[in-house]
Amino acid sequence: MCNFKLTIQYDGSRYKGWQRLGNTDNTLQGKIEQVLSKMTGEEIEIIGSGRTDVGVHAQGQVANFKTSSTKRTAEIQQYLYHYLPEDIVVTDIKEVDERFHARYHAVAKQYIYKIWNAPYHNPFLRKYVEHISEPLDLAAMQLATSYLLGQHDFSAFVSSRSKKKSNIREIYSIDITKEECLVEVTFRGNGFLHNMVRIITGTLLEVGLGRMKPTQLKEVLEKRDRNLAGPTAAAKGLHLVQVYY
Amino acid sequence: MCNFKLTIQYDGSRYKGWQRLGNTDNTLQGKIEQVLSKMTGEEIEIIGSGRTDVGVHAQGQVANFKTSSTKRTAEIQQYLYHYLPEDIVVTDIKEVDERFHARYHAVAKQYIYKIWNAPYHNPFLRKYVEHISEPLDLAAMQLATSYLLGQHDFSAFVSSRSKKKSNIREIYSIDITKEECLVEVTFRGNGFLHNMVRIITGTLLEVGLGRMKPTQLKEVLEKRDRNLAGPTAAAKGLHLVQVYY
């Protein structure tokens, strides 16, 4: 058996998220498995580094799959490029150790949340950024992030649908940059709970709009109460950029 | 009567080009006229700085229209923003002299042709760039542009469907830049014939791919023969960026 590691870019707009739901569904996992199964004649299951929700995008999702096919990496990549829809591109493929597991072995992830901060939205980026028409106080937002860095219980910033045993995660950095109207909030951490990046972003946006004070983030975090945090920012602004192993 | 000047951004992917074809068509001119006619109760005709073809985009198309409506600019802009589809955005509106004519008074234009030069296409830019998988020799392309600068008869670089009396135009500059995989060819000139930017780009790509020599551009230009130039580059890579008055 060979074990292959895929790096995948996708425009998530048309898909029902990463995780396969049935046999002929419109999920990213499902689409990629269909093509690999057709190629190998086997029933291929791919293991993603984690799920992405409906409408979330990826520049660097990672997945692995095992096959007894004798096809080599270049051949598999060409096949995938040919048969996958044009909003999914496998940018890299490597043969890896048989024990490599894209989810268990991920040690850190990078997400970017993209915001178009201008009176009018941008027609070219409309599916890939959240549009905020009022000016954002980025300095206040950056200050607010300081309370979230390090290891914490992020129960205040997790979807109520999450079923994880522990909500303790470590955030290494949250950086906010602006280039013309495009604001990018870059998150690096050892792992992110369901909706965690989107709820943190939604809360930072409350700060940026002057509806919350930066210091409130400390209180929200400590009280571990989802109701004290801001709304969940829209899926379309979220991009899984890199998974570290 | 008031005369208003609009600056318009659009993702041209879904439209049959700028020019209205009928009363209920799917053109950019038609869409904008529909909204303005609804707003004013008049039959509004907008005059674009020029047509853009099916699939061509704009960051800064300019148009004007006359109305006896007493609505002010902010109100008109809000109305347009509310009722236009999300792939068309009027980014600026100004009241101008009654004699202002968006086509006759345009003195220069800037177009950018965008190319994604990498083995695989980019799923996020797929509708806004042309994908070229082989490496491009940008130095050769830049050299080739030198023969086209200044005032020339561009008959070799015009669509056979063009019916202009004169094919003489002046190109002020053609600049080629690359940032990561994105190559941008920026054209500035006093006017461009039908398909002229796309045919010049298609010819420059032949040079970039080593199929033509830079010096051949001089010959193609002088012979005024469309058959000697390269193919018409795809519409989706072309962006009308600015119109000068």
Side-chain angles (χ1 to χ4, degrees), chain B residues 22-38:
Chain B
N23 282 323
T24 55
D25 62 14
N26 197 33
T27 63
L28 291 148
Q29 183 187 357
K31 285 283 168 198
I32 299 166
E33 286 179 348
Q34 270 172 38
V35 174
L36 289 172
S37 297
K38 189 179 160 196

Side-chain angles (χ1 to χ4, degrees), chain A:
Chain A
M1 292 286 275
C2 288
N3 190 9
F4 291 102
K5 178 190 176 197
L6 307 174
T7 305
I8 310 158
Q9 283 193 342
Y10 49 80
D11 171 350
S13 310
R14 291 200 307 138
Y15 298 95
K16 296 190 171 170
W18 173 264
Q19 195 184 26
R20 178 176 16 89
L21 301 166
N23 282 324
T24 55
D25 62 13
N26 198 31
T27 63
L28 292 148
Q29 183 187 357
K31 285 283 169 197
I32 300 166
E33 286 179 348
Q34 270 172 38
V35 175
L36 289 172
S37 297
K38 187 179 162 197
M39 181 189 79
T40 58
E42 301 164 342
E43 196 168 316
I44 298 292
E45 186 185 348
I46 65 171
I47 296 159
S49 72
R51 305 171 190 177
T52 54
D53 279 342
V54 181
V56 172
H57 313 290
Q59 270 80 14
Q61 169 69 295
V62 173
N64 74 291
F65 71 97
K66 293 183 182 181
T67 176
S68 52
S69 162
T70 56
K71 286 198 168 31
R72 298 299 77 189
T73 53
E75 203 179 346
I76 298 171
Q77 191 170 12
Q78 271 309 117
Y79 192 95
L80 285 162
Y81 192 61
H82 190 76
Y83 286 103
L84 281 172
E86 64 174 8
D87 47 11
I88 308 174
V89 175
V90 173
T91 57
D92 192 47
I93 171 166
K94 280 194 172 61
E95 195 178 339
V96 287
D97 189 279
E98 206 184 327
R99 289 161 299 184
F100 174 81
H101 189 285
R103 188 165 75 252
Y104 297 157
H105 295 159
V107 294
K109 283 184 183 170
Q110 183 187 154
Y111 282 94
I112 299 183
Y113 196 94
K114 300 189 183 190
I115 299 152
W116 186 254
N117 190 27
Y120 300 102
H121 71 263
N122 180 314
F124 302 98
L125 299 177
R126 66 192 193 276
K127 293 177 179 173
Y128 312 124
V129 300
E130 169 67 325
H131 174 228
I132 301 285
S133 53
E134 299 86 46
L136 290 171
D137 182 344
L138 299 184
M141 288 169 68
Q142 188 72 65
L143 181 57
T145 65
S146 62
Y147 302 104
L148 305 176
L149 304 182
Q151 185 172 291
H152 299 284
D153 181 323
F154 285 98
S155 296
F157 301 99
V158 64
S159 158
S160 55
R161 286 180 292 148
S162 173
K163 292 164 194 155
K164 296 272 175 170
K165 285 179 194 158
S166 164
N167 288 336
I168 294 175
R169 294 290 183 278
E170 183 172 356
I171 297 182
Y172 305 134
S173 62
I174 306 176
D175 296 305
I176 303 177
T177 60
K178 185 173 186 183
E179 204 180 311
E180 298 186 27
C181 300
L182 185 65
V183 174
E184 297 194 338
V185 187
T186 302
F187 294 81
R188 290 183 193 84
N190 66 354
F192 294 91
L193 300 160
H194 188 215
N195 282 359
M196 181 169 151
V197 176
R198 288 166 58 192
I199 299 172
I200 292 178
T201 302
T203 311
L204 292 175
L205 287 172
E206 292 292 290
V207 172
L209 293 166
R211 298 177 194 148
M212 282 177 73
K213 289 181 178 165
T215 50
Q216 278 180 264
L217 273 278
K218 186 172 167 18
E219 193 190 325
V220 173
L221 184 71
E222 284 169 359
K223 293 214 170 146
R224 302 178 194 179
D225 180 355
R226 171 67 188 91
N227 297 313
L228 298 178
T232 307
K236 66 179 181 175
L238 186 59
H239 300 249
L240 171 56
V241 172
Q242 204 170 347
V243 185
Y244 302 90
Y245 291 94

Side-chain angles (χ1 to χ4, degrees), chain B residues 228-240:
Chain B
L228 297 178
T232 307
K236 66 179 182 175
L238 186 60
H239 300 249
L240 171 55

Side-chain angles (χ1 to χ4, degrees), chain B residues 16-79:
Chain B
K16 295 191 171 170
W18 172 264
Q19 194 184 27
R20 176 173 21 86
L21 301 166
N23 282 323
T24 55
D25 62 14
N26 197 33
T27 63
L28 291 148
Q29 183 187 357
K31 285 283 168 198
I32 299 166
E33 286 179 348
Q34 270 172 38
V35 174
L36 289 172
S37 297
K38 189 179 160 196
M39 183 189 78
T40 57
E42 302 165 341
E43 195 167 317
I44 298 291
E45 186 186 347
I46 64 171
I47 296 160
S49 72
R51 306 172 191 177
T52 54
D53 278 341
V54 182
V56 172
H57 313 290
Q59 270 81 14
Q61 169 69 295
V62 173
N64 74 291
F65 71 96
K66 293 184 181 181
T67 176
S68 51
S69 161
T70 57
K71 286 200 171 27
R72 298 298 79 188
T73 53
E75 202 179 346
I76 298 171
Q77 192 169 13
Q78 270 310 117
Y79 192 95

Side-chain angles (χ1 to χ4, degrees), chain B residues 156-182:
Chain B
F157 299 99
V158 63
S159 158
S160 55
R161 285 179 293 148
S162 173
K163 292 163 193 156
K164 296 272 174 167
K165 284 179 197 159
S166 163
N167 288 336
I168 294 175
R169 293 291 182 279
E170 183 172 356
I171 297 183
Y172 305 134
S173 62
I174 306 176
D175 296 305
I176 303 178
T177 60
K178 186 174 186 183
E179 204 180 311
E180 297 187 28
C181 301
L182 185 65

